[in-house]
Amino acid sequence: MIIGLIGFGKVCQNLVKLIKSDDIRFITSKENRSKSTIESIDNSDVDVVSSFREVAAKSDLLISATSPASSIEIAKKYGKCVKGIYLDLNNISPESTLEIDKYVDNLIDGAIIGKIDSDNPTLYISGKSADELLFLNDFLDVVVISDKIGDVAILKLLRSTYTKTLSALLIESYQIAQNYNLEDEFFDVISVTEGDDFKNHSLSRIKNTLANSKRKSEELNEIIECFSQNELIMVKAALDKFSRL
């Protein structure tokens, strides 16, 4: 089996580490890639072909893990080249997922739940061909939600609604604690109810959010667009906070 990768960030890098089999070959392209991404590809066990169109055409399973903003354009460019399965792992709205479905013959809606670079992430998937990816259970946990495109997209956004607004609140609280030189004490008092690992998890969350605030803002905009009939006070406040980081 050939698994093609469009995007070579932490998600794809970790999948390459986890999915180890003599029967599986990973391919990608350096086409229009940044210097740092090319270095990551060179340091991996992934084979390189000349273009993403070739990646798509040769793949039995094509994984798109780029960014919410580019996911539809990627599907437009390469979706019809794929003879096998097209797995979209971008954090996008159900509407965007259905738009991608117009350009892809065999779409599976997916999400990696858990720390991106963890040893035991869970892959949630939905779509008519979702059962065809159950072989990945040999390498990571796979949960089939339904045969309906968009169900996993809704769950992704609901999860992001919670985690990203929580991140914004955490950053704001931490910044106030810093102003009073009470950072350690801040974590200590909350750890009483949130557990001993709260500080380490929080600092990791803060670091990740600060480093990826632009992408997380894109995801919040997807949430606001998708759930526009809801009040979304906290989501809009989180988006405002990220714009100030």
Side-chain angles (χ1 to χ4, degrees):
M1 168 176 277
I2 296 178
I3 299 179
L5 305 173
I6 297 184
F8 203 74
K10 289 184 178 180
V11 171
C12 287
Q13 289 174 38
N14 199 41
L15 289 176
V16 170
K17 292 178 183 177
L18 294 174
I19 303 172
K20 293 290 188 181
S21 171
D22 292 338
D23 297 323
I24 295 175
R25 173 189 170 209
F26 283 96
I27 63 172
T28 191
S29 174
K30 296 179 181 178
E31 183 181 19
N32 299 322
R33 292 290 178 90
S34 67
K35 181 180 178 180
S36 62
T37 299
I38 290 174
E39 289 176 355
S40 296
I41 293 171
D42 289 339
N43 292 327
S44 72
D45 294 327
V46 178
D47 293 333
V48 177
V49 298
S50 61
S51 69
F52 287 118
R53 191 168 295 278
E54 184 179 354
V55 171
K58 287 186 173 181
S59 297
D60 300 298
L61 167 60
L62 183 69
I63 298 176
S64 174
T66 53
S67 71
S70 63
S71 57
I72 294 175
E73 188 60 31
I74 292 295
K76 287 181 179 179
K77 283 184 178 180
Y78 310 115
K80 295 300 182 184
C81 300
V82 182
K83 296 183 177 68
I85 292 172
Y86 187 108
L87 173 62
D88 188 282
L89 293 179
N90 297 297
N91 201 0
I92 55 178
S93 70
E95 286 78 12
S96 294
T97 302
L98 292 174
E99 181 69 15
I100 287 172
D101 195 37
K102 296 177 183 178
Y103 306 101
V104 177
D105 290 331
N106 201 5
L107 176 65
I108 292 180
D109 177 16
I112 296 287
I113 303 299
K115 193 175 180 182
I116 289 175
D117 55 357
S118 71
D119 293 331
N120 57 346
T122 300
L123 173 63
Y124 285 80
I125 52 177
S126 66
K128 292 180 180 179
S129 301
D131 286 349
E132 294 183 32
L133 295 190
L134 287 176
F135 75 92
L136 292 173
N137 265 319
D138 290 340
F139 313 102
L140 67 162
D141 291 332
V142 179
V143 178
V144 177
I145 297 299
S146 72
D147 63 359
K148 183 180 178 183
I149 292 296
D151 279 356
V152 168
I154 292 172
L155 290 174
K156 279 189 286 190
L157 289 192
L158 287 173
R159 184 175 186 274
S160 289
T161 298
Y162 173 77
T163 59
K164 289 175 178 58
T165 53
L166 185 63
S167 294
L169 180 60
L170 180 62
I171 289 171
E172 189 160 275
S173 300
Y174 181 59
Q175 289 171 336
I176 295 171
Q178 286 180 310
N179 292 338
Y180 289 94
N181 295 316
L182 291 170
E183 302 99 301
D184 291 336
E185 292 80 2
F186 163 70
F187 288 118
D188 287 343
V189 296
I190 299 182
S191 293
V192 172
T193 54
E194 299 303 309
D196 294 336
D197 292 333
F198 175 76
K199 181 177 181 179
N200 290 336
H201 289 325
S202 296
L203 289 174
S204 177
R205 182 188 290 271
I206 289 170
K207 180 181 179 181
N208 178 269
T209 301
L210 293 176
N212 300 283
S213 59
K214 180 179 179 182
R215 178 173 59 79
K216 292 181 184 296
S217 294
E218 290 178 1
E219 293 168 2
L220 286 172
N221 277 317
E222 289 274 355
I223 292 169
I224 291 169
E225 181 179 346
C226 179
F227 301 139
S228 60
Q229 295 181 342
N230 297 274
E231 204 167 20
L232 299 178
I233 293 173
M234 300 302 294
V235 174
K236 292 174 182 177
L239 180 60
D240 182 58
K241 180 66 178 180
F242 288 167
S243 70
R244 299 167 188 267
L245 296 178

